[in-house]
Every structure is written in structure tokens, then in C-alpha cells.
């Protein structure tokens, strides 16, 4: 939890216990409810949005406290951070879009340093050799992964 008083997350029905085992205090089945249902306005310090569904940023703005952070993990399907005219940013709420530049490794090195210093770990669902990349993609797209699918590249 890295100092968080409470962690709230969402997952598909067959991944609820997995997310709870990762440390979430409340896990919402996103097929039945929205992760923000029942969350009072101005009650959350940080929202990590790794999906980016339309409307999520605006709902997050309502729930976030002044001084809070909306962090969009680029690669989702939605518009990203809250911007006019689709979304009205909340005064005093910070926003950050984590997008890594594929032309170098500096961004990834910086993220790795933060993860290492905080003792974060990554759960790897499965690993594939480079020549099995199609199988890796099929696994990732299956919706059944619990963790990251990796491709090993040996130089």
C-alpha cells in the first residue's frame, strides 16, 4: 500500500481475489458497479487510471481532494487526462499522463528506479521467447492474465 490508508480497485469477476491479494482493501466487480460508486466527493488523494474509459477523468475529478493527483497510465482506450471541453479539470487537482518515449530508455529507467526504491514488484503472468510473440499477444488479449505478459529478447 506504500503508506495509503485505503486502496480501492476494480477487476473482472474472475480476478477479484487476485486484486485483493495484491493489497486492495475494496475490490469492485466492474461488470456490476463503477469503482467510484459510493465514493464521496473530495475524499481521494490519488487515482491511477490505467484504462481511461470515457468519463472516468470527470468522475475522478469529483472524487479527488484539492492537492490530489489524477495519474493516467497511457495505453488505455480513453482520452487520458481531464481537459476542456470534454472534461472540466478541478482547481487544485494535479494531473499526470505517464507516457514513455519509445525512442530511448530514460523514462523506463526513471520508472524502474522509483519502483526499486519503493520495493515494488511486478507479477509476471507468463514469458515468451521473441519467436513466440504471436502466442504472447494471444495470451495478453485473452483477458485471462493475472500480471504482465513478457517477451524475452536475448541480444
Amino acid at each position: 500500500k506504500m503508506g495509503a490508508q485505503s486502496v480501492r480497485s476494480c477487476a473482472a469477476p474472475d480476478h477479484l481475489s487476485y486484486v485483493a491479494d495484491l493489497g486492495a482493501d475494496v475490490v469492485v466487480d466492474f461488470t456490476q458497479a463503477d469503482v467510484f460508486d459510493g465514493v464521496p466527493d473530495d475524499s481521494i488523494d490519488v487515482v491511477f487510471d490505467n484504462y481511461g474509459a470515457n468519463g472516468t477523468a470527470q468522475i475522478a475529478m469529483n472524487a479527488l481532494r484539492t492537492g490530489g493527483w489524477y495519474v493516467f497510465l497511457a495505453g488505455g482506450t480513453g482520452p487520458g487526462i481531464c481537459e476542456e471541453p470534454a472534461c472540466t479539470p478541478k482547481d487544485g487537482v494535479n494531473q499526470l499522463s505517464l507516457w514513455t518515449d519509445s525512442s530511448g530508455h530514460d523514462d523506463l529507467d526513471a520508472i524502474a528506479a522509483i519502483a526499486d526504491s519503493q520495493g515494488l514488484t511486478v507479477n509476471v503472468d507468463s514469458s515468451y521467447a521473441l519467436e513466440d510473440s504471436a502466442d504472447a499477444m494471444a495470451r495478453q488479449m485473452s483477458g485471462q492474465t493475472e500480471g504482465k505478459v513478457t517477451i524475452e529478447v536475448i541480444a
Side-chain angles (χ1 to χ4, degrees):
K1 290 185 189 178
M2 296 178 63
Q5 187 175 32
S6 177
V7 174
R8 182 179 186 94
S9 188
C10 62
D14 53 341
H15 297 287
L16 297 172
S17 62
Y18 169 71
V19 174
D21 289 345
L22 290 174
D25 299 298
V26 176
V27 184
V28 176
D29 175 350
F30 68 72
T31 67
Q32 301 296 315
D34 188 281
V35 70
F36 291 102
D37 286 353
V39 174
D41 287 352
D42 303 311
S43 66
I44 294 178
D45 294 312
V46 180
V47 170
F48 290 100
D49 182 359
N50 69 332
Y51 185 69
N54 287 324
T56 300
Q58 187 65 64
I59 295 168
M61 289 297 126
N62 297 331
L64 283 161
R65 294 182 175 139
T66 298
W69 283 87
Y70 178 74
V71 181
F72 178 68
L73 307 175
T77 61
I81 63 173
C82 184
E83 296 178 305
E84 300 278 357
C87 181
T88 305
K90 185 176 184 177
D91 287 338
V93 170
N94 305 289
Q95 297 189 80
L96 176 64
S97 179
L98 293 179
W99 184 263
T100 58
D101 180 353
S102 63
S103 66
H105 57 80
D106 292 344
D107 291 342
L108 294 175
D109 288 345
I111 293 169
I114 293 168
D116 289 345
S117 72
Q118 298 296 318
L120 298 178
T121 59
V122 175
N123 184 48
V124 177
D125 175 87
S126 51
S127 293
Y128 294 84
L130 182 59
E131 59 269 16
D132 297 323
S133 293
D135 293 335
M137 182 57 92
R139 176 69 182 153
Q140 180 64 36
M141 300 305 291
S142 74
Q144 300 302 309
T145 60
E146 289 189 344
K148 298 298 179 185
V149 174
T150 67
I151 297 173
E152 296 180 32
V153 179
I154 300 171

